[in-house]
Each structure stands twice: as C-alpha cells, then as structure tokens.
Amino acid sequence: MSQMPGREAAQHGNRLDPWFDHYAERAHNLRASEIRALFSVVSRPEVVSLAGGMPNLKDLPIERLADSARDLIARNGSVAMQYGSGQGWEPLREQICDVMSYDGIAGADPDDVVITTGSQQALDLVSELFIDEGDVVIAESPSYVGALGVFRARQADVVHVDMDADGIIPQALEDMIHSLRKSGKTIKFLYTIPNFHNPAGVTLSEERRPHIVEICQREHVLIVEDNPYGLLGFGSDPLPALKSYAPEVVVYLGSFSKMFAPGFRIGWAYAPHAVRDKLVLASESAILCPSMVGQMAIGGYLVDYDWYSQVKTFRSMYHERCDAMMKALAEYMPDCTWTHPEGGFYTWVTLPDGLNAKAMLPRAVRAQVAYVAGTAFYYDGRGTNHMRLSFCYPTPEEIREGVRRLSTVVNAEKELVDMFGVGSVPANAHIDVEPTLPTSDN
C-alpha cells in the first residue's frame, strides 16, 4: 500500500494513530494514572505493594452474600436484570439517607440522591455540569489522583490550597479565593476529602469545618465533598459532614466501595435539588441507569445484615494495619516524616531533602516493594519528595517487611545524593540493597 503524501497524511493523524487529528481537544488531556500503571508490577506475588488502595475484603461473609445473590435472582430476577430509573432505585436511595445520618446529615431527602457507578462517576458528572475550559477547581495540596484526572480531562485549571495536620487552612482558602478572583479567574468549586484524606491521611478538624463552609457560602463557591472513607475512623463515628452545615452549598459524594465492596460499583451524589435535576439528566445520557443487580444486592445487604458491625470489623482491621505501618516507619525510616491517620487507608511520607520519590520508584520495585510517588497527587508537578503508602491491603507482617525493603532503597538513595549531589542522581544509577528474601517476620 502506498503512503499518503505529506499534507494528506497530516490531515489523517499520524502513523501511530490515524485518528489523532479527529479527537476532541479534551481527549488530549487524558492521562494514564500512575497508580494504574503500577498494577502489572504490584500484582507479582514477590512484590510487597504499599501502593494500591484496594479494600481488604477478607472479613466479609462471602458465603452468606453468595446465598443472598442467589435468592435475589431467584425471587426478583425479572426486576434485578431489567433497566431501572436513571436516578437510581428508590429503596436504596432511602437506605443511603440512613447511611448518611452517621455523617451527621439528618433528615436527608432521598429525592435529592442520585445513584452512580461508584463515586468516581458522580465526580465526573459534577465536573461535566460545572467546568468549562480554563475554569478553576480548588483542591487540597495534595489531592486525589482520580479527581485530578477528571479535572484535567474537563480542561480545568486546578489550584492547590495548603493543608496541615488539621486539613485545609481556612485563611489560605480565603486568601486564594480573593487572589484568583482578583486575577480574573472563574472558580467553579472546592474539591475536598475531609475525612482520612487520600493521599494525605489527615482529617479536617471539627473546629475548621464550619469555618470552611462559611467561607465558601460567603464567597459563593460550591463545595464538592468526597467522603468514601468517612465510616472507617479507627476510634469513633465520623465528624459532621460539611453537607450538614449548609446543604445548599455542598454536593456530597459517597460510595459503598470502602465500607462494603468495590465490585458492585455503587456510589451516589446528594445534591441541592436544582443540581440533582441536572445530575440525573447527565447520568441518563452517560449510562441510562445504574446497575439494578448491584443496587438491589446492596439494598439486601443493608437490610439483611448488621452492616454497621461489619464496618466496625473493618475499622479494627485497618487500625491494626495502620499501627503496623506507624511502628515500621519509626523503626526503619526515622529520617523521614509522615502523617498519623485516624482512619482510612493511607499515610503521606516526606523524604529527606534531595530524594526524588518518582526517580527512586524503579529501584524500589527492583527491591520488591511498591509505593505511589507524590507527583501523582499534584496538578502542577510538585510532590517529588513525597510518597503515599497504603496499609489497607497487606497484612501487618507484609507491611513491616515492605517498609524494611523500602528503607534499604531510601538509605541507598541518600548515599547517592551525597555522592552525586541533590538533583543529579542518574535515573539508571545502580544501587545495592539488602536481599529481599522473606525475613522471620513473614
């Protein structure tokens, strides 16, 4: 087959993708997740993965759930396997209102709940409704990688607001809003994970919550409150949701993925009524309706099982794993600093000066341990000296061994920095690390 002339070839894309020039502009903003890119590595049995955020489902009553699934199909299969409402199954929307009461959201109206394919779809729908190219989304520093991917695809400009151990700093938020508007920017919303933050592991303090809401209410900035981990606090029920302070200012996103199981892909948005209307229309355009099988299975679980006791079992399991992570970091990586989570899945580690977590990752994988580099959680390239470590899935013994392996890489990296100087360690530099055979702790 003869090749096209140069001008004609340019009009028909390139040799790798003949449709390159046909894509919408927003398609060029899609980026591969740094976490997804690690999956082929972390799935290897010899690698201790401190990277992924997969819930640990070992304590779920799997056999009883299997019986429930059989009963669902046998008794209600004609409904469960049929199309449903674009807004979601009404009985589950009512149950979701009961679930949200644990977050301090009293008297929620099921008519303002929209069920989605995980909370990730809810976030995408909200972004579709509000973001035009060049609009500003304010997000915590750092922020959830999945949210940043959505905002980038919608061609938003993400601006990070500073956090500390108590979450968003109110004065920093207020100053940022004023600065952005002074420069002519259009702010569409604040995106926040107030409970057991992904990736930072911190929680917005109870004292700051009404202050953050008051600032956004006064400045007419919508809040998108993402709360997948809220029920997984180690010691107590969640602090009041931001939604509970001013419902008309907040779109609340929830999910069954962490408190139950991610495979059902059922989440929801609880929104002001006018926003709810548009969310339903956007969802119907995208998926027609959420899975009836998934919705009815979760509805049955909430009715037939003591689901809150199951949540408490998860809390205890994750607390044990977090303690193992904290102790291992203190023993093996004392030159680093890290956050001290009170729930959730993650801690945020700050490396010694001069170390680059992203450049170090291939050497860590060679040492059979994986993490997520901090750059994945920033829109602007920051985070080189940070890493997110996850304690939700490995056993305490695996966590300890993983941190030990990681410490050998960090220590060797420090030696390279001392040898080559800050910022000049070759990416292919060879390091010698301790053997990674299982120790007596495994």
Side-chain angles (χ1 to χ4, degrees):
M1 181 182 297
S2 61
Q3 292 186 337
M4 295 180 184
R7 182 183 296 272
E8 187 177 356
Q11 292 174 347
H12 291 275
N14 57 47
R15 293 178 63 187
L16 295 178
D17 184 355
W19 300 106
F20 182 85
D21 294 330
H22 286 64
Y23 293 129
E25 183 63 31
R26 60 183 174 274
H28 298 293
N29 291 306
L30 297 173
R31 298 287 187 276
S33 164
E34 293 190 31
I35 298 174
R36 296 287 176 184
L38 285 170
F39 270 19
S40 62
V41 171
V42 302
S43 61
R44 289 158 41 189
E46 70 273 16
V47 175
V48 176
S49 174
L50 306 177
M54 292 189 301
N56 196 312
L57 306 181
K58 73 177 187 66
D59 290 324
L60 277 177
I62 297 296
E63 291 185 3
R64 292 179 62 194
L65 292 173
D67 291 338
S68 295
R70 282 191 291 270
D71 289 343
L72 170 62
I73 300 301
R75 296 176 183 176
N76 296 293
S78 61
V79 177
M81 294 189 289
Q82 186 56 272
Y83 289 117
S85 164
Q87 185 174 351
W89 192 44
E90 185 174 1
L92 182 58
R93 288 191 278 117
E94 294 171 352
Q95 292 169 305
I96 285 170
C97 291
D98 293 335
V99 171
M100 290 191 294
S101 68
Y102 288 89
D103 293 315
I105 302 175
D109 186 349
D111 195 42
D112 287 333
V113 173
V114 180
I115 296 176
T116 57
T117 305
S119 61
Q120 185 73 13
Q121 192 213 4
L123 180 59
D124 185 61
L125 294 175
V126 171
S127 299
E128 177 187 352
L129 293 182
F130 283 96
I131 296 174
D132 289 316
E133 181 178 356
D135 286 342
V136 170
V137 171
I138 300 175
E140 291 142 330
S141 174
S143 189
Y144 167 50
V145 62
L148 297 182
V150 169
F151 303 150
R152 180 177 286 110
R154 298 295 177 185
Q155 298 173 286
D157 181 12
V158 177
V159 179
H160 291 286
V161 62
D162 288 340
M163 285 197 303
D164 60 18
D166 291 320
I168 294 175
I169 301 169
Q171 191 60 54
L173 174 62
E174 189 166 11
D175 291 346
M176 175 173 289
I177 292 172
H178 292 165
S179 175
L180 288 167
R181 287 192 169 147
K182 187 176 180 180
S183 64
K185 298 289 187 179
T186 299
I187 303 169
K188 285 301 176 73
F189 55 80
L190 165 68
Y191 172 74
T192 177
I193 304 175
N195 296 316
F196 322 125
H197 187 271
N198 177 9
V202 303
T203 295
L204 182 63
S205 68
E206 189 167 11
E207 293 74 20
R208 287 185 181 179
R209 291 179 181 234
H211 195 177
I212 294 297
V213 173
E214 186 276 328
I215 290 170
C216 290
Q217 191 170 31
R218 171 166 34 90
E219 298 293 339
H220 196 58
V221 173
L222 183 71
I223 298 173
V224 178
E225 178 181 16
D226 199 356
N227 191 32
Y229 308 97
L231 289 177
L232 297 179
F234 300 147
S236 63
D237 287 337
L239 295 173
L242 301 182
K243 181 76 171 178
S244 68
Y245 293 99
E248 73 281 0
V249 180
V250 182
V251 176
Y252 175 100
L253 309 183
S255 173
F256 289 102
S257 292
K258 308 302 189 293
M259 60 171 281
F260 180 29
F264 288 106
R265 304 307 303 132
I266 299 295
W268 71 89
Y270 181 45
H273 195 75
V275 177
R276 187 288 317 262
D277 287 345
K278 294 189 182 300
L279 282 172
V280 172
L281 294 175
S283 181
E284 288 176 340
S285 296
I287 62 168
L288 295 182
C289 66
S291 162
M292 281 297 294
V293 171
Q295 292 180 88
M296 294 180 72
I298 287 180
Y301 173 77
L302 295 175
V303 169
D304 297 337
Y305 296 88
D306 186 355
W307 67 269
Y308 196 65
S309 291
Q310 182 65 56
V311 166
K312 290 181 178 179
T313 299
F314 285 149
R315 287 177 177 175
S316 178
M317 175 182 61
Y318 293 135
H319 194 179
E320 179 187 23
R321 283 160 164 72
C322 182
D323 283 346
M325 176 72 77
M326 298 295 103
K327 291 175 182 176
L329 288 170
E331 178 177 354
Y332 291 117
M333 296 173 59
D335 292 336
C336 301
T337 60
W338 51 89
T339 56
H340 295 265
E342 298 176 351
F345 287 3
Y346 310 106
T347 185
W348 185 244
V349 176
T350 303
L351 296 168
D353 289 343
L355 271 62
N356 185 318
K358 189 169 185 177
M360 192 174 72
L361 183 56
R363 296 187 268 274
V365 171
R366 192 181 307 143
Q368 298 181 355
V369 61
Y371 58 84
V372 184
T375 51
F377 305 99
Y378 286 92
Y379 201 75
D380 53 14
R382 282 185 284 168
T384 55
N385 67 324
H386 294 93
M387 60 174 65
R388 188 192 75 177
L389 299 185
S390 171
F391 50 78
C392 54
Y393 196 78
T395 66
E397 294 75 20
E398 290 168 338
I399 289 169
R400 178 179 170 83
E401 173 62 12
V403 173
R404 185 196 69 79
R405 295 178 186 183
L406 182 58
S407 72
T408 66
V409 180
V410 171
N411 291 335
E413 197 81 2
K414 287 169 59 182
E415 293 180 6
L416 284 174
V417 168
D418 291 341
M419 181 183 305
F420 292 100
V422 175
S424 58
V425 178
N428 60 350
H430 176 74
I431 59 172
D432 293 318
V433 297
E434 297 178 19
T436 56
L437 296 175
T439 68
S440 59
D441 293 323
N442 274 350

